[in-house]
Amino acid sequence: MMLRAGAALRPRLASARCLSSREECHERLATKQKGHVKPLKTKQKGVDILHDPLWNKGMAMDYPERDRLNLRGLVPPRVKTLEEQAARVMAQLRGDFADDDDGRLRKNKFLQELHNRNETLYHRVLADNIAELAPLVYTPTVGAVCENFGAQFRRARGMYFSVQDRGLFSSMVWNWPHDDVHIIVVTDGSRILGLGDLGAHGMGIPIGKLALYCAAGGIAPHRVMPVMLDVGTNNAALLEDDDYLGVQKPRLEGDEYFAMVDEFMSAVFERWPDTVVQFEDFESSKAQPILDKYRHTRRCFNDDIQGTGCVTLAGVLAAGRQAGLRLSEMSFLCAGAGSAGLGVCLQLVDGMVADGLSREEAMKRFVICTSVGAIGRADGAHGDPNAARGLSAEREIWVNDAVSDGASLEDAVREFRPTCLLGLAAQPGGLFTESLVTSMLAYTETPVVMPMSNPTAKHECTPRQAWEWTDGKAIVATGSPFDPVEINGKTLIPSQCNNMYVFPGLGLAASVGGVTSVTDPMLYAAAVACVALAEGMCTKIAPEDVAEPGSLAKLVSKKMYDPVYAPLVDPSYGN
């Protein structure tokens, strides 16, 4: 039961069960029946409520509530609604900050402070303004947040499992106060976006991802957990930085590293057997082995390998329709041979096989370019004739005799004639040059150009460049958001091909359905349809449960979080 990639995921009402624990407060906040929100019994009274972001409503406390909870006089006299508070937050965001990189970073800090003060208001604002605020809490601003994570640290979120805690993970997980965790996003900070090894400061990525899970995917905030797996860092600057928050030792490697990952996986699934683990921003040498080890035995997926591949397939299918090409008729040159680049290409191969090609035929439609050139025939025409023979197992399968090994991007385009350029190299911007893109016009009227590296400084080219070079003919999708472009009197709007359009729905569906594992066919189907239920891999839903038309949508909607204020009741009431 995978939700369609790129769908407009909107928070809806959560379950209407009677709940009372702190862990399930957010679900109760989202429970509405016929305009009525069930009251919640707080864990404290008086000023302590105002200091707890889970319960705090600020000036939205009405007078009966202020009297019940000993709050009269502790907040200003005026009462404001959630809607009025949200409008003020948005007015401040839109009016008090510059619209540049520094201004966006300050907006993110403002939103973090709101999150630390009033969780319901934070998620209401984010849910209602997801298109405007997603770039502030996620790509591209989250990269700068991670780079400044230590200097701007104010309040801990999530859990940190470090090398200093080895042997204690199974007891540490009980320090987390919530008993029903549905989604865990974990990183080891080794490959944060295109910024490289940021160590423990990569925690900004799980925090940002899970904000979107709550706002776009409808997972209640008490049911998500950001995790940093701190195995050390090889970033020399961080090893000497007084503001660094993590373990200032070189990274674990080899068996010791994988043993730590195994201890983490065992601990979290022992505590939360129904959770879904999303691996995020692991370096290529670790990402694929970790995924291969756990993907068939645990509810888990790697967002960089599978999520990016899934959303790229959806984007390519849309681009193909616009260009009048079936997927099986397209060919691809991919700049980038890391876990994300190869994961994208494998997902596209799955799509081509579904469209009628054999796997061998499909893989010959790809040329992969590393930092030293194309992975091609070892004829010595470009560079070292033995280069292709020293490839890793993950790269060796992509050797394509249609190009010379070590060929440059431009030479590879001339030799291979791809219809689509995929930018996943995460290198300094500008890999897709004017001559590279315009050379495609010699054999295709509508070149598909997809510069997807993040953050923005790593993009292979801008949409404006791709359109200006091709006189507006290119079909463009980017990893980060870009402004509309005026070309020949027409306004062209860049599509955004980012995994934020798939992972909230993927995680929600895996959680709601209780799927036993996230399979490749499910990922393909997430780009085009819904299948996990049909495959009989849902443990929480049976086909007969959703037999009526519209019943599946209603079931998912019922499980989705919607941030609203609930009346608060004196904790001593009824005792």
Side-chain angles (χ1 to χ4, degrees):
M1 188 197 69
M2 292 299 160
L3 301 186
R4 189 178 304 274
L9 301 174
R10 304 294 300 177
R12 293 180 172 87
L13 307 186
S15 169
R17 294 182 294 116
C18 182
L19 309 168
S20 58
S21 67
R22 175 184 175 87
E23 289 78 5
E24 296 185 321
C25 172
H26 277 289
E27 185 167 341
R28 282 284 301 275
L29 291 178
T31 300
K32 297 190 291 185
Q33 287 187 341
K34 298 180 179 179
H36 173 67
V37 181
K38 292 185 178 181
L40 300 172
K41 185 181 292 188
T42 68
K43 296 296 182 181
Q44 61 266 91
K45 296 175 65 174
V47 73
D48 290 338
I49 289 178
L50 302 179
H51 294 164
D52 188 333
L54 186 66
W55 302 104
N56 180 35
K57 302 180 187 178
M59 293 173 64
M61 300 279 190
D62 62 23
Y63 274 89
E65 197 163 62
R66 297 181 191 194
D67 288 335
R68 286 197 306 271
L69 301 174
N70 299 342
L71 289 169
R72 188 180 280 266
L74 298 182
V75 291
R78 183 172 174 182
V79 176
K80 288 197 171 185
T81 65
L82 176 61
E83 292 73 21
E84 289 173 327
Q85 290 177 313
R88 176 172 173 77
V89 168
M90 291 307 300
Q92 289 177 290
L93 276 172
R94 291 164 177 163
D96 295 352
F97 303 92
D99 190 21
D100 54 20
D101 290 343
D102 182 65
R104 285 185 283 274
L105 187 58
R106 294 168 72 88
K107 288 181 182 181
N108 176 279
K109 186 176 180 180
F110 175 85
L111 288 169
Q112 288 185 51
E113 292 171 349
L114 176 62
H115 197 183
N116 294 337
R117 186 171 71 247
N118 184 332
E119 289 197 17
T120 304
L121 177 57
Y122 170 82
H123 288 105
R124 181 75 274 156
V125 167
L126 190 56
D128 290 346
N129 302 277
I130 189 68
E132 181 176 352
L133 300 188
L136 300 178
V137 300
Y138 184 51
T139 303
T141 310
V142 71
V145 171
C146 290
E147 291 180 308
N148 292 275
F149 198 81
Q152 295 189 353
F153 182 78
R154 297 293 183 273
R155 179 181 186 273
R157 285 195 173 276
M159 288 199 73
Y160 293 78
F161 295 80
S162 79
V163 294
Q164 298 174 342
D165 305 313
R166 288 299 310 277
L168 300 173
F169 290 2
S170 61
S171 58
M172 284 172 55
V173 290
W174 294 94
N175 292 338
W176 188 249
H178 308 306
D179 293 328
D180 191 21
V181 173
H182 288 194
I183 304 289
I184 293 171
V185 175
V186 57
T187 184
D188 70 351
S190 58
R191 193 199 63 80
I192 298 300
L193 301 174
L195 303 172
D197 182 356
L198 296 185
H201 291 177
M203 184 59 142
I205 296 293
I207 291 172
K209 292 267 183 178
L210 288 170
L212 296 183
Y213 261 115
C214 297
I219 304 288
H222 72 277
R223 287 181 167 165
V224 303
M225 186 172 81
V227 169
M228 167 52 59
L229 197 62
D230 188 352
V231 298
T233 179
N234 294 335
N235 186 319
L238 294 178
L239 289 172
E240 302 296 329
D241 187 353
D242 287 340
D243 286 332
Y244 183 59
L245 304 181
V247 175
Q248 289 182 300
K249 294 181 180 180
R251 285 183 170 273
L252 292 184
E253 296 293 343
D255 292 344
E256 197 173 4
Y257 173 90
F258 289 106
M260 183 167 165
V261 176
D262 201 51
E263 183 183 353
F264 164 75
M265 292 293 282
S266 297
V268 297
F269 279 98
E270 181 180 319
R271 171 89 201 270
W272 303 288
D274 294 331
T275 196
V276 178
V277 170
Q278 174 177 319
F279 297 110
E280 193 69 41
D281 286 0
F282 284 72
E283 61 184 322
S284 300
S285 62
K286 308 294 195 311
Q288 192 67 54
I290 290 172
L291 179 62
D292 290 343
K293 180 172 183 178
Y294 300 107
R295 63 183 305 181
H296 299 300
T297 59
R298 304 290 192 183
R299 292 183 177 93
C300 66
F301 66 99
N302 183 296
D303 192 37
D304 303 295
I305 297 173
Q306 298 166 291
T308 304
C310 181
V311 76
T312 303
L313 173 58
V316 167
L317 288 170
R321 285 194 294 270
Q322 187 173 344
L325 295 172
R326 292 178 56 180
L327 181 60
S328 59
E329 297 172 322
M330 299 180 72
S331 55
F332 301 85
L333 187 149
C334 178
S339 57
L342 298 185
V344 163
C345 293
L346 284 172
Q347 194 70 56
L348 290 170
V349 165
D350 287 342
M352 288 181 153
V353 171
D355 200 31
L357 296 182
S358 70
R359 182 160 292 272
E360 182 180 6
E361 290 172 329
M363 294 191 72
K364 291 304 180 184
R365 300 294 183 92
F366 291 82
V367 166
I368 311 295
C369 287
T370 70
S371 60
V372 294
I375 301 175
R377 63 182 183 274
D379 59 6
H382 301 273
D384 182 359
N386 296 314
R389 299 174 189 174
L391 298 171
S392 65
E394 291 80 11
R395 293 183 178 184
E396 189 175 6
I397 61 174
W398 294 103
V399 172
N400 192 325
D401 291 341
V403 295
S404 300
D405 191 70
S408 68
L409 283 172
E410 293 200 16
D411 286 339
V413 167
R414 281 192 288 270
E415 292 182 43
F416 184 60
R417 298 164 67 92
T419 55
C420 178
L421 297 179
L422 299 172
L424 292 148
Q427 298 299 312
L431 281 182
F432 293 169
T433 63
E434 181 175 4
S435 59
L436 175 73
V437 174
T438 55
S439 66
M440 297 177 70
L441 293 172
Y443 57 84
T444 178
E445 292 184 0
T446 52
V448 180
V449 182
M450 301 178 71
M452 295 189 292
S453 291
N454 289 315
T456 307
K458 302 287 186 177
H459 59 251
E460 288 75 16
C461 71
T462 66
R464 176 177 292 279
Q465 288 173 324
W467 281 321
E468 287 181 344
W469 295 337
T470 62
D471 198 28
K473 296 176 182 178
I475 300 170
V476 181
T478 61
S480 293
F482 283 87
D483 292 333
V485 176
E486 292 284 340
I487 298 288
N488 297 330
K490 295 182 179 180
T491 300
L492 301 178
I493 301 175
S495 297
Q496 190 181 355
C497 191
N498 189 288
N499 49 16
M500 66 172 286
Y501 291 106
V502 69
F503 71 76
L506 193 64
L508 175 66
S511 174
V512 171
V515 301
T516 54
S517 62
V518 179
T519 67
D520 287 336
M522 290 181 196
L523 290 161
Y524 169 69
V528 295
C530 304
V531 297
L533 185 62
E535 289 186 10
M537 300 190 71
C538 292
T539 62
K540 297 180 181 179
I541 306 172
E544 56 268 23
D545 296 332
V546 291
E548 296 296 324
S551 57
L552 179 60
K554 290 179 181 178
L555 183 146
V556 174
S557 177
K558 184 179 179 181
K559 297 292 184 180
M560 294 181 75
Y561 164 71
D562 187 29
V564 296
Y565 288 140
L568 301 181
V569 178
D570 187 329
S572 62
Y573 178 79
N575 293 338

